[in-house]
């Protein structure tokens, strides 16, 4: 197994927890409604990582038993680094705390406590009562970020909402023509956008985007097609063209869920179902679908991470509802231009209020800028 250098204990804890967080990300978009969790087992007496694990597709098995199984007998005396408090309740599988105790693990470093009332701090107490040292990681914020969908599902009964915005260098949003998209960004940014799709449980657009761009709303990165998220379309009237790609059936392709308003006729709903869509009626406010009801319905289906692509009208709808947790804006074709935070904020303000958002990071992706804002 991997040998780890003899670093001070606190630095070592941070490095190994960072590894567990990286493993957790492998499960994003594949474990709902369970959280994506990462786990690393380290033997301090050997200076080696002896086991690794992350939550498997469908949410089981959990990360901890996967890591323990990979370590075998070498798990005894090890330190477990895990991004989320180990579960303490019986579900389809036994509690992870039982596996940890049975494996003879001597120390557990965890990222965040589980907000699920069946688990919250109970798992930690069980471990401590078994004589296991329990320590909170220094990387709490990072562990929270990778688990945010689960946290919001349990605490607020809604998924994590990530809005993706792609604009030209001048801040204008491209508009599709005759059902074909127009790109504002380069291939590298579009690949990054597809990775965001792979890490989402569902992807959402409005009727306008479905008609103008005729998107497939799948993940087209090599090897990631099976991680295409559930496709969601908001159409108050239910009017959607027959030839749209969202109705195409492919192997491994996610189904399409269409939310319609109460005024959508029974004939329109039946026509959508005949095209293979699932239809759900949602209440509306002033003629627009009520976003909190949409999110509640998605949580009911086990969705924990929602990627909103859509267009300006959809971004503003989620903004008005106060339901945006993160905005990722790709600004295309900047070339060698210097990043201007003020200009980026001004572009964002055209589409989304910034009253609850703070600038979190910026990266160059090919010739484009990727700027991220996070709910304060």
């Amino acid at each position: 197994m991997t040998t780890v250098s003899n670093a001070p204990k606190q630095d070592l804890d941070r490095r190994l927890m960072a590894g567990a967080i990286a493993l957790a990300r492998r499960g994003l978009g594949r474990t709902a409604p369970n959280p994506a969790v990462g786990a690393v087992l380290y033997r301090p007496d050997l200076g080696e990582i002896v086991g690794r694990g992350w939550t498997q597709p469908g949410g089981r098995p959990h990360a901890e038993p996967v890591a323990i199984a990979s370590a075998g007998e070498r798990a005894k005396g090890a330190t477990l680094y895990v991004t989320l408090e180990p579960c303490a309740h019986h579900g389809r599988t036994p509690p992870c705390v039982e596996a940890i105790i049975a494996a003879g693990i001597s120390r557990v470093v965890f990222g965040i406590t589980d907000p699920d009332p069946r688990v919250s701090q109970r798992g930690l107490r069980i471990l401590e009562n078994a004589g296991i040292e329990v320590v909170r990681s220094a990387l709490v914020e990072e562990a929270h970020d990778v688990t945010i969908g689960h946290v919001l599902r349990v605490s607020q009964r809604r998924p994590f909402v990530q809005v993706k915005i792609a604009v030209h260098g001048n801040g204008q949003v491209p508009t599709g023509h005759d059902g074909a998209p127009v790109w504002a960004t380069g291939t590298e940014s579009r690949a990054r956008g597809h990775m965001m799709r792979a890490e989402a449980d569902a992807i959402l657009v409005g009727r306008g985007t479905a008609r103008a761009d005729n998107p497939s709303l799948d993940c087209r990165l090599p090897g990631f097609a099976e991680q295409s998220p559930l496709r969601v379309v908001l159409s108050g009237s239910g009017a959607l063209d027959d030839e749209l790609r969202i109705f195409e059936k492919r192997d491994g392709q996610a189904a399409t869920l269409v939310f319609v308003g109460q005024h959508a006729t029974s004939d329109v709903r039946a026509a959508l179902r005949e095209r293979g869509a699932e239809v759900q009626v949602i209440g509306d406010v002033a003629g627009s679908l009520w976003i909190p009801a949409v999110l509640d319905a998605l949580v009911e289906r086990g969705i924990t991470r929602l990627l909103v692509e859509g267009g300006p009208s959809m971004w503003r709808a989620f903004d008005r509802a106060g339901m945006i947790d993160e905005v990722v804006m790709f600004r295309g074709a900047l070339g060698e231009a210097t990043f201007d935070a003020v200009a980026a904020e001004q572009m964002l303000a055209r589409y989304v209020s910034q009253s609850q958002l703070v600038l979190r990071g910026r990266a160059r992706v090919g010739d484009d800028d990727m700027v991220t804002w996070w709910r304060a």
Side-chain angles (χ1 to χ4, degrees):
M1 284 301 216
T2 305
T3 301
V4 180
S5 61
N6 186 21
K9 191 172 186 179
Q10 187 174 16
D11 291 344
L12 184 63
D13 282 354
R14 291 178 64 90
R15 288 168 53 192
L16 292 169
M17 179 57 74
I21 291 168
L23 290 173
R25 294 199 68 87
R26 297 188 183 189
L28 292 179
R30 308 185 73 184
T31 66
N34 284 0
V37 177
V40 173
L41 277 170
Y42 172 74
R43 281 279 296 270
D45 57 329
L46 302 175
E48 291 183 6
I49 293 173
V50 295
R52 295 181 177 89
W54 59 92
T55 311
Q56 296 301 292
R60 295 176 185 82
H62 293 182
E64 298 94 325
V66 173
I68 290 169
S70 72
E73 294 182 359
R74 303 182 83 195
K76 187 173 183 179
T79 295
L80 171 67
Y81 296 84
V82 61
T83 54
L84 180 68
E85 175 184 2
C87 68
H89 65 285
H90 283 270
R92 294 186 186 178
T93 55
C96 288
V97 291
E98 291 184 1
I100 292 168
I101 294 168
I105 290 168
S106 61
R107 182 170 180 258
V108 172
V109 180
F110 72 99
I112 62 171
T113 55
D114 194 331
D116 189 327
R118 298 172 299 176
V119 180
S120 187
Q121 299 191 46
R122 184 165 171 252
L124 304 180
R125 289 196 298 270
I126 291 173
L127 294 175
E128 288 176 332
N129 289 339
I132 297 173
E133 180 187 359
V134 178
V135 180
R136 179 184 287 275
S137 167
L139 301 183
V140 174
E141 182 177 344
E142 292 85 347
H144 181 269
D145 289 355
V146 80
T147 321
I148 184 64
H150 170 69
V151 172
L152 291 173
R153 181 183 70 86
V154 172
S155 63
Q156 299 184 29
R157 194 172 169 75
R158 69 175 182 85
F160 167 71
V161 177
Q162 183 183 50
V163 171
K164 191 194 89 172
I165 296 176
V167 296
H168 292 293
N170 61 6
Q172 295 296 318
V173 177
T175 302
H177 298 289
D178 298 324
V182 174
W183 307 115
T185 58
T187 56
E188 294 93 339
S189 291
R190 295 201 294 276
R192 186 69 65 92
H194 277 272
M195 181 55 70
M196 291 169 64
R197 290 182 177 184
E199 293 182 347
D201 302 326
I203 178 172
L204 182 148
V205 298
R207 180 182 62 181
T209 296
R211 177 182 297 162
D213 292 352
N214 194 11
S216 299
L217 299 183
D218 54 7
C219 179
R220 293 188 291 278
L221 293 177
F224 283 86
E226 65 178 19
Q227 286 187 236
S228 293
L230 171 71
R231 298 179 293 189
V232 180
V233 180
L234 302 191
S235 177
S237 67
L240 291 168
D241 299 335
D242 290 344
E243 68 276 7
L244 294 180
R245 293 190 182 98
I246 56 172
F247 296 120
E248 293 177 355
K249 295 181 179 179
R250 302 190 184 110
D251 292 339
Q253 179 78 13
T256 298
L257 170 63
V258 181
F259 285 107
V260 302
Q262 294 172 324
H263 56 287
T265 67
S266 57
D267 288 345
V268 166
R269 299 179 205 171
L272 289 171
R273 293 187 179 102
E274 287 177 3
R275 280 176 270 172
E278 180 180 347
V279 180
Q280 187 161 351
V281 180
I282 289 291
D284 55 64
V285 177
S288 298
L289 296 181
W290 191 36
I291 297 300
V294 170
L295 297 181
D296 184 78
L298 290 174
V299 161
E300 186 67 26
R301 298 175 62 95
I303 300 300
T304 66
R305 294 175 63 89
L306 174 66
L307 175 61
V308 177
E309 291 201 357
S313 62
M314 194 56 55
W315 306 332
R316 291 173 183 135
F318 276 83
D319 183 36
R320 287 192 300 270
M323 294 294 175
I324 296 178
D325 298 299
E326 183 181 43
V327 175
V328 180
M329 185 173 74
F330 293 92
R331 183 184 175 199
L334 289 186
E336 298 301 321
T338 302
F339 174 68
D340 186 335
V342 174
E345 297 276 0
Q346 291 172 343
M347 289 181 184
L348 176 66
R350 298 182 192 180
Y351 311 110
V352 173
S353 167
Q354 299 172 69
S355 59
Q356 294 184 321
L357 298 173
V358 295
L359 180 65
R360 195 177 201 206
R362 177 256 178 176
R364 180 58 67 98
V365 182
D367 289 330
D368 308 327
D369 256 336
M370 184 180 77
V371 191
T372 304
W373 290 267
W374 191 267
R375 181 188 285 267

